[in-house]
Amino acid sequence: MSTFRRAPQQGAASRASILGTLRATSMVETKPALPAEILVSILDYLPIPDLLRFARTSWRMREMVYDDTRWVARLKSMGCWSESEARKRFEEAMKRKRDASGRTNVNGGPNAAAGRQTSTTIFDATLEEERRKIQAHQALQSQEPRLDGFETLSLNQPQSKSPYEDPAALLDVLKNVRSIRGYARQEYGKVYGALAPFYFDLARAKTHTEPIVFSVFRDPERQAQMLSNLQTFSKSDWAQGFQQREAKLINMTTIFESAVLREFEQGYEFWDVDGRMRRYAHVLHTLNGGNAAVDLFIQKHPMLNDRGIIDNPMDCINQAPEDSITLEPSRVFFELLAQKLNEQSDVISRIFPQPGTVFWAFVDKIREDIIMEYVTPLLDECHDRHMPSYLKAVSGLFEQCMQLVRSLESPKGSEGELDNYAKDIALKVFEPHLDLYLQEELDSFTKYAEHEVGNWEQKLSEQDATVESFYMGNFNRQADKNDFLSSFKKVVMMPVTVLPSAISSPFGTSKPASTSATNNSTTLRPSAAGTPASSRPQTPGLGGPSERSASPLPSEAPNDELKAKAALMANRLEGIRSLFSIEVALSLVAAAKEGLGRASKFVALGGQAGEEAREQCEAMFVVLVKILGQTHVKNGFKKAVDHLSRYNPREISDHSQTGVAPLVTFIELVNVGDIISQMIDVFYEQQLAAPKIADRNDFLDPAGLAKKKFEQMLDESVAAGLNKGIDVLMDEVEYLCATTQLPTDFNPPPASQEASLSKDPDIGPTITAKRVTELVSSHTKMLVGSTEKTMLDVFNSEVGLRLFTAVCKHIKRQRISTEGAVKLIADMNMYFEYIRTLKNPDLLAYFKALRELSQIYLIDARHAKEMATIIADGDRFGGIFRAEEVYEFAERRADWFQVKRDVERATYGLECHIM
């Protein structure tokens, strides 16, 4: 505050001299008594009249008091200031100002300036600044009486009566507050001038009859509105004693609320819905939101004690068979409850101004007192009695509870939130049971899966033991330790075919493998109707005595040890197909689908509960893949590969079939494994990926990792088995070549001895080539459609290379004449055409070279030099055969010792002469 003062004047003479004036002036050092920060804090706690007095002390204090941020803070404390509205108004004002400035520039353009060229002074900054200050001061004085709001205030005590002639205009004073930057003081002044007289009058009142607010406003609606306004206004009262004034206001409001609540309760007792209940519910809502009326309505509602609604939850157990449950009584219970709640929805809409909030609070009370009391005892009893009934009850009751909430007719204004309310209420009902249920669901499926696989393996072991005891019952058990080959040598000269021509299933089907494919669909369970049908032999059933009675055991046990062991080996070869079962896989997948279908309903709850349910669904899929893959399928492939490794074609007396028995059955096993893999893939896509339980794009997702691990295990098992299968197939090829190729096929006798034979010689391929081609092609075709293209290409390439090696070895064991070369060429052409069907260019080059090689046997002995030229021509065979290798093949000519000298002389240049 300035302490400047002027010294007494000494006369008119001194007034004429400015130096005299300066000498007569006494300058005193000025310094504010308090820092500005402390002054600002003090101003925040001054009463409004004192604040206005303080503003009159100086221009500086006036600026501090009139600072717009001070009044904005008071408006914000009452919730009457909107920053977005203030910003919008400010931007509009700035836009109008820019538009006005633009119009001024247009009006005062170059033409206007040219008319005033006679004036030498264009712009006087000093005069313009003074004129602007005068205009701003006059505008402020003209607006203050109209906008300030403080003009009706007395600097003494507040008035005890309404400052306006119309009291009703005061009720909407808070709604009419505008958010304008620079005018917050004027807006707050309007509120203060309207509400401060009632506020301070109520604070001075001794009893509830003294406040002027109850005499000015006679009806309860307007009284509630004014009391609500006063409660809002009290939030801007920061002056000394505000706590006592606020407590007095709360006390008066409580007295008024109690009186109104009594009126509402009396209307409730007479069920005067459209009369007193509706009127006083709106009064209480205007006063403070009406929570007291809502609580009274809910707590005393007759539905909470209606015996006609609350049924016995044990009816779901008592009306069902033993170890089972029926949800029909619960369905009737929830339907009746939904009907009652819909009736109350209409009543609530007629009573309360915000029926949506009241209705859902009422539904939550019904959930707590009726639904919880129905669901909890039922689930506890089911959990103690029978676990499958418990799992079914939790899922079924959850679905019925969700359906109950979705069927409610929500009051107007809350329809869009119906699904959220359903999730919230269902979560509150089942949250105490959710963790236990999810764990029990996983444990139940795990036990079922392990029991199914274990039971299947046990029955398979029992069947194997039965077959073995039947065949070997007439012999010493010590003989089991002997190798089958030793028994075969005992009767090696016996011309008896001991192996059956058609291998039949050991588990109940006596049809051969070639015909059993047509009946595959009859073995599938009805639950697997969506599984793609296949032409593969059916997996054996594991039924009761009726199936075992149909076992293909002969009526009498063999009386010969060789026959017994041969029959036992045939049974074991057929048993490869029984190493894992499609029926077991279908059973596990169906059980997983059922359990996952129940648990996945809780994923819709969202939040932590929904995430736990989703994780448990993925855990069930992981258990399914682990038990089905590691325990069932992998062990089956391991046993199948072991059977294949023990196969010896020289121990088999019947080679008339087009396929190798263990390899055919292993490929059928691969087909079954491929079906199971497809089942797992379809299950993952439909049950996990489609409902977004699992994310197929997340490489760390547990379900996706388990699925990839299963596929990797299946590929490795198939690859290991096919490797053994190729060995078995090539052994069979070599065996056929060694046993069916006659010496006269490629080296026929002289023509004089063939005079009695047909005049039309057969120039086609030999029987050996036909059987080898049929054998190899039948096995390669079996894998088409059941394995990946990459694995199929690798398998075909390996088979082709191994076949090439076997044919080369076979040719080197033959003696081939010029007449027999035609047969050999026909055989090589047949192999070449078969390899062409595999569509492998690299592999085709080997057999093309082999076809070219076979032509060296067609050259007559008189043209030995030409034969030497072909042997030395490496480009002729595409780099497949070297000259030394071609020479080895040429040695298998029947007339080699006749042409050897000439061929070697031409090959090594021994016929050259020095000129």
Side-chain angles (χ1 to χ4, degrees):
M1 188 178 300
S2 176
T3 57
F4 173 81
R5 61 186 181 186
R6 193 178 297 273
Q9 297 181 0
Q10 299 297 326
S14 62
R15 194 178 299 123
S17 174
I18 189 169
L19 294 177
T21 304
L22 291 175
R23 292 191 191 97
T25 303
S26 173
M27 301 296 294
V28 180
E29 183 180 0
T30 63
K31 183 180 294 185
L34 292 174
E37 293 81 3
I38 297 179
L39 289 176
V40 170
S41 300
I42 293 175
L43 293 179
D44 290 337
Y45 297 99
L46 286 179
I48 298 300
D50 294 342
L51 199 62
L52 298 178
R53 293 191 186 96
F54 188 80
R56 296 179 178 179
T57 57
S58 67
W59 278 98
R60 182 184 178 192
M61 296 302 104
R62 183 177 181 274
E63 291 178 356
M64 295 179 65
V65 171
Y66 283 15
D67 185 13
D68 200 58
T69 58
R70 182 180 313 283
W71 306 99
V72 168
R74 292 182 182 270
L75 291 176
K76 284 185 177 181
S77 66
M78 296 188 299
C80 298
W81 181 267
S82 174
E83 193 64 36
S84 59
E85 180 186 353
R87 185 182 302 109
K88 181 179 179 181
R89 290 178 179 273
F90 175 76
E91 292 174 354
E92 291 176 354
M94 293 299 295
K95 182 178 180 181
R96 289 194 299 269
K97 184 177 180 181
R98 287 193 299 268
D99 294 343
S101 176
R103 288 193 299 269
T104 302
N105 292 335
V106 171
N107 295 332
N111 295 332
R116 295 192 298 268
Q117 290 181 355
T118 56
S119 177
T120 57
T121 303
I122 299 176
F123 182 79
D124 191 339
T126 305
L127 294 177
E128 287 294 328
E129 182 66 21
E130 292 179 356
R131 184 172 60 83
R132 188 187 63 80
K133 288 182 179 181
I134 293 172
Q135 290 178 353
H137 183 66
Q138 291 177 353
L140 184 61
Q141 290 180 348
S142 62
Q143 291 180 2
E144 280 184 354
R146 181 167 53 89
L147 297 176
D148 199 328
F150 294 108
E151 72 281 355
T152 60
L153 293 180
S154 171
L155 298 182
N156 299 321
Q157 292 298 327
Q159 299 177 1
S160 60
K161 61 180 180 179
S162 175
Y164 296 109
E165 296 180 358
D166 185 12
L170 306 180
L171 300 178
D172 297 330
V173 65
L174 294 178
K175 298 179 181 179
N176 297 327
V177 174
R178 298 177 301 170
S179 300
I180 305 176
R181 292 178 180 175
Y183 292 91
R185 178 176 59 85
Q186 289 85 343
E187 295 297 323
Y188 182 77
K190 296 177 184 179
V191 176
Y192 188 89
L195 301 181
F198 296 100
Y199 179 71
F200 290 105
D201 177 76
L202 190 144
R204 294 193 305 270
K206 303 298 183 182
T207 63
H208 64 278
T209 60
E210 294 182 5
I212 193 175
V213 64
F214 297 120
S215 60
V216 174
F217 304 99
R218 304 303 301 175
D219 55 285
E221 288 82 3
R222 301 172 73 186
Q223 291 174 352
Q225 181 65 53
M226 180 51 71
L227 288 175
S228 176
N229 291 345
L230 293 179
Q231 290 177 356
T232 303
F233 177 74
S234 65
K235 297 177 182 178
S236 66
D237 182 14
W238 305 335
Q240 185 178 6
F242 73 93
Q243 295 179 346
Q244 291 79 3
R245 291 189 292 272
E246 186 176 2
K248 198 64 174 290
L249 176 61
I250 293 174
N251 184 33
M252 289 294 179
T253 304
T254 304
I255 294 174
F256 177 79
E257 182 183 17
S258 301
V260 175
L261 193 60
R262 282 195 301 270
E263 295 294 331
F264 177 82
E265 186 175 4
Q266 291 178 4
Y268 197 6
E269 293 176 355
F270 292 99
W271 201 244
D272 187 8
V273 174
D274 297 320
R276 284 183 290 178
M277 290 181 68
R278 175 181 175 84
R279 179 184 183 186
Y280 292 108
H282 282 70
V283 170
L284 290 172
H285 175 74
T286 303
L287 180 66
N288 54 14
N291 292 331
V294 173
D295 294 341
L296 179 63
F297 178 83
I298 293 176
Q299 296 297 334
K300 290 190 174 184
H301 201 280
M303 270 188 66
L304 300 177
N305 299 317
D306 189 355
R307 294 288 95 189
I309 300 177
I310 305 176
D311 293 337
N312 183 13
M314 296 305 153
D315 291 343
C316 296
I317 299 177
N318 299 332
Q319 297 179 10
E322 187 177 0
D323 292 338
S324 182
I325 187 174
T326 176
L327 297 179
E328 182 62 24
S330 63
R331 183 189 65 81
V332 175
F333 163 75
F334 280 109
E335 286 183 354
L336 179 60
L337 193 59
Q339 180 182 355
K340 295 289 186 181
L341 287 174
N342 286 331
E343 293 175 359
Q344 295 305 312
S345 174
D346 180 65
V347 173
I348 292 174
S349 299
R350 290 157 54 190
I351 296 175
F352 295 96
Q354 292 183 346
T357 305
V358 181
F359 176 74
W360 290 114
F362 176 67
V363 172
D364 188 68
K365 182 64 176 178
I366 294 296
R367 184 270 311 169
E368 181 180 357
D369 290 358
I370 297 180
I371 299 178
M372 292 286 290
E373 294 298 326
Y374 185 91
V375 170
T376 301
L378 177 59
L379 294 183
D380 292 343
E381 185 67 21
C382 289
H383 185 270
D384 295 338
R385 287 192 179 189
H386 191 230
M387 187 55 62
S389 299
Y390 170 75
L391 301 178
K392 180 181 177 182
V394 174
S395 178
L397 291 175
F398 175 79
E399 190 69 19
Q400 290 177 351
C401 183
M402 292 285 288
Q403 186 62 32
L404 162 72
V405 183
R406 292 193 179 107
S407 64
L408 296 180
E409 297 176 0
S410 179
K412 295 181 179 179
S414 58
E415 295 85 352
E417 303 176 358
L418 188 61
D419 194 59
N420 294 333
Y421 283 119
K423 294 177 183 179
D424 183 63
I425 292 174
L427 177 61
K428 291 179 181 178
V429 173
F430 289 92
E431 189 174 17
H433 311 278
L434 189 57
D435 292 339
L436 177 62
Y437 162 74
L438 293 176
Q439 188 61 43
E440 292 290 358
E441 190 75 69
L442 179 62
D443 294 344
S444 177
F445 172 72
T446 304
K447 292 177 182 178
Y448 174 80
E450 292 175 348
H451 176 266
E452 283 291 308
V453 175
N455 189 36
W456 188 86
E457 292 179 351
Q458 181 181 359
K459 289 183 179 181
L460 183 65
S461 301
E462 292 175 356
Q463 183 66 33
D464 290 343
T466 302
V467 173
E468 184 174 0
S469 63
F470 176 81
Y471 284 122
M472 305 302 296
N474 296 333
F475 307 96
N476 187 359
R477 300 293 297 178
Q478 185 65 27
D480 294 344
K481 299 180 181 180
N482 299 328
D483 186 72
F484 176 79
L485 185 58
S486 63
S487 299
F488 180 77
K489 291 179 180 178
K490 295 179 184 179
V491 284
V492 69
M493 302 303 295
M494 295 179 60
V496 179
T497 302
V498 295
L499 288 181
S501 59
I503 299 175
S504 57
S505 174
F507 276 90
T509 174
S510 58
K511 296 183 180 180
S514 61
T515 61
S516 63
T518 59
N519 297 329
N520 181 39
S521 60
T522 61
T523 64
L524 298 180
R525 293 175 53 182
S527 62
T531 306
S534 67
S535 60
R536 303 166 176 86
Q538 62 184 7
T539 354
L542 292 173
S546 61
E547 286 191 2
R548 296 184 182 182
S549 63
S551 179
L553 295 178
S555 58
E556 295 182 1
N559 54 8
D560 183 88
E561 184 178 0
L562 177 61
K563 291 182 180 181
K565 289 192 174 182
L568 186 59
M569 174 185 249
N571 186 277
R572 287 175 177 173
L573 291 177
E574 176 64 16
I576 292 180
R577 203 176 309 167
S578 306
L579 292 175
F580 56 77
S581 170
I582 235 179
E583 283 81 5
V584 172
L586 286 173
S587 177
L588 297 186
V589 169
K593 181 179 179 181
E594 183 180 358
L596 194 142
R598 290 192 297 259
S600 62
K601 296 177 181 177
F602 294 90
V603 178
L605 292 176
Q608 182 179 357
E611 182 64 20
E612 291 176 357
R614 189 192 65 80
E615 291 176 356
Q616 209 70 349
C617 290
E618 288 192 327
M620 291 178 63
F621 178 78
V622 172
V623 170
L624 168 67
V625 173
K626 181 179 179 181
I627 294 178
L628 190 59
Q630 299 294 330
T631 307
H632 192 55
V633 175
K634 187 176 183 180
N635 290 340
F637 273 110
K638 185 178 180 181
K639 293 177 183 178
V641 173
D642 184 61
H643 282 301
L644 281 173
S645 63
R646 293 200 299 265
Y647 176 79
N648 189 350
R650 291 165 182 79
E651 298 175 357
I652 305 301
S653 60
D654 185 8
H655 292 272
S656 61
Q657 302 295 327
T658 58
V660 182
L663 183 56
V664 170
T665 51
F666 178 80
I667 293 178
E668 292 296 332
L669 194 70
V670 172
N671 294 336
V672 175
D674 180 64
I675 290 179
I676 295 177
S677 177
Q678 293 180 20
M679 289 165 51
I680 294 296
D681 187 67
V682 171
F683 182 85
Y684 175 83
E685 290 295 331
Q686 293 184 355
Q687 303 297 324
L688 293 175
K692 306 212 182 241
I693 295 176
D695 185 5
R696 62 170 66 91
N697 297 322
D698 185 5
F699 66 94
L700 295 177
D701 186 66
L705 292 176
K707 178 173 171 289
K708 292 179 182 177
K709 190 174 182 180
F710 174 82
E711 294 171 349
Q712 181 181 1
M713 179 276 301
L714 191 62
D715 291 341
E716 292 175 354
S717 301
V718 170
L722 291 180
N723 188 34
K724 290 290 183 182
I726 292 173
D727 294 340
V728 171
L729 181 61
M730 291 301 108
D731 290 344
E732 186 72 15
V733 168
E734 293 179 359
Y735 181 82
L736 288 177
C737 291
T739 57
T740 62
Q741 193 78 66
L742 299 177
T744 58
D745 287 342
F746 301 138
N747 189 17
S752 60
Q753 301 180 11
E754 294 292 330
S756 59
L757 299 178
S758 175
K759 296 182 181 180
D760 297 328
D762 183 13
I763 61 174
T766 62
I767 297 177
T768 301
K770 293 179 180 178
R771 293 190 59 180
V772 169
T773 304
E774 291 177 0
L775 176 69
V776 177
S777 63
S778 64
H779 289 84
T780 54
K781 290 178 181 178
M782 288 181 185
L783 290 175
V784 176
S786 63
T787 56
E788 294 182 356
K789 186 179 183 302
T790 305
M791 183 176 292
L792 184 63
D793 292 341
V794 172
F795 177 78
N796 290 339
S797 299
E798 185 66 19
V799 169
L801 290 175
R802 297 281 293 274
L803 178 63
F804 173 80
T805 304
V807 171
C808 291
K809 290 171 59 178
H810 179 61
I811 292 176
K812 291 180 179 179
R813 289 195 294 263
Q814 304 300 315
R815 183 63 64 181
I816 306 167
S817 64
T818 305
E819 293 79 6
V822 177
K823 285 277 189 181
L824 180 63
I825 293 174
D827 287 358
M828 296 304 105
N829 284 332
M830 188 172 188
Y831 292 139
F832 178 81
E833 292 300 327
Y834 162 67
I835 296 299
R836 189 197 296 272
T837 62
L838 299 182
K839 299 179 180 180
N840 190 329
D842 297 335
L843 192 61
L844 192 63
Y846 284 88
F847 285 85
K848 183 178 180 180
L850 196 61
R851 188 177 61 176
E852 293 291 333
L853 178 67
S854 63
Q855 296 180 7
I856 66 173
Y857 301 105
L858 196 62
I859 302 175
D860 191 81
R862 293 171 296 179
H863 304 91
K865 295 182 178 180
E866 287 77 3
M867 187 187 308
T869 303
I870 293 176
I871 292 175
D873 187 5
D875 297 336
R876 186 182 186 89
F877 307 103
I880 303 298
F881 296 110
R882 292 178 288 111
E884 293 81 359
E885 294 175 339
V886 178
Y887 183 84
E888 291 178 3
F889 282 102
E891 290 178 340
R892 304 313 304 165
R893 287 178 59 96
D895 56 354
W896 173 249
F897 292 103
Q898 300 176 12
V899 301
K900 177 180 179 181
R901 180 173 176 273
D902 296 336
V903 171
E904 288 182 347
R905 290 173 63 87
T907 302
Y908 299 117
L910 299 179
E911 294 184 353
C912 297
H913 300 282
I914 300 176
M915 301 298 294

